[in-house]
Amino acid sequence: MPAFVTFGRILFAVLFIYTGATKLIAIQATADFIAGKIVVPDVIAPYAKQVETATAMTTPQLLAIAIGGLEVVAGLMIALNFGARFFALLMVIYIAVSTVLYSDFWNQAAPENAAVVVDALKNLSIIGALFMIMGYGRATRSAETAYGDV
């Protein structure tokens, strides 16, 4: 059983490593997508402008780098089972927020929103798998012990 869990963890992490790498490779395309969905709140706009001036990058570009880096690092840590619970929690938060921000199927008509609903359900399934990684933990134990408390 532990070999299947390890193999499944590695296969699951490939999703994050790949999507994070594609975000980092195409930073401008990712930044353009982010810019179309996210508006910097007025409260933090002066601070964001200072960071933009210091880095000579726009806020969407910085977010694209941060998100891509988070996905790659979290994917690697989950695959290697090093801090997997912590990185799974970070990914739960990231995926939940991105689902709410980007999958606004509740504002679309029924036939047009089908693909967006499927994407939101896919994200919900990924969150469920991340919760399983958080619950299973690092220690190897029998399946009866791992699932006996539910």
Side-chain angles (χ1 to χ4, degrees):
M1 183 75 158
F4 287 129
V5 172
T6 302
F7 188 60
R9 185 187 301 260
I10 292 168
L11 290 177
F12 179 71
V14 168
L15 171 70
F16 299 122
I17 297 167
Y18 174 77
T19 57
T22 57
K23 285 179 178 75
L24 291 173
I25 290 170
I27 291 175
Q28 192 56 49
T30 306
D32 292 343
F33 182 72
I34 290 171
K37 294 286 186 174
I38 295 178
V39 177
V40 177
D42 292 335
V43 176
I44 61 171
Y47 305 109
K49 194 53 92 176
Q50 289 177 356
V51 172
E52 286 178 355
T53 304
T55 60
M57 299 177 86
T58 64
T59 300
Q61 288 173 329
L62 293 169
L63 287 173
I65 292 169
I67 290 168
L70 171 67
E71 287 187 21
V72 170
V73 170
L76 288 171
M77 293 297 118
I78 289 171
L80 298 172
N81 201 17
F82 184 76
R85 286 181 172 180
F86 173 73
F87 285 102
L89 177 63
L90 287 180
M91 292 308 294
V92 164
I93 294 166
Y94 162 67
I95 292 171
V97 169
S98 67
T99 300
V100 169
L101 290 176
Y102 296 116
S103 299
D104 58 346
F105 58 87
W106 50 87
N107 291 328
Q108 299 173 5
E112 291 84 24
N113 72 349
V116 182
V117 169
V118 170
D119 283 342
L121 291 173
K122 172 198 55 105
N123 288 349
L124 187 64
S125 298
I126 291 171
I127 288 172
L130 288 164
F131 276 127
M132 290 191 315
I133 289 172
M134 289 171 54
Y136 192 72
R138 184 170 176 82
T140 58
R141 53 188 175 181
S142 68
E144 294 81 25
T145 306
Y147 299 107
D149 57 346
V150 288

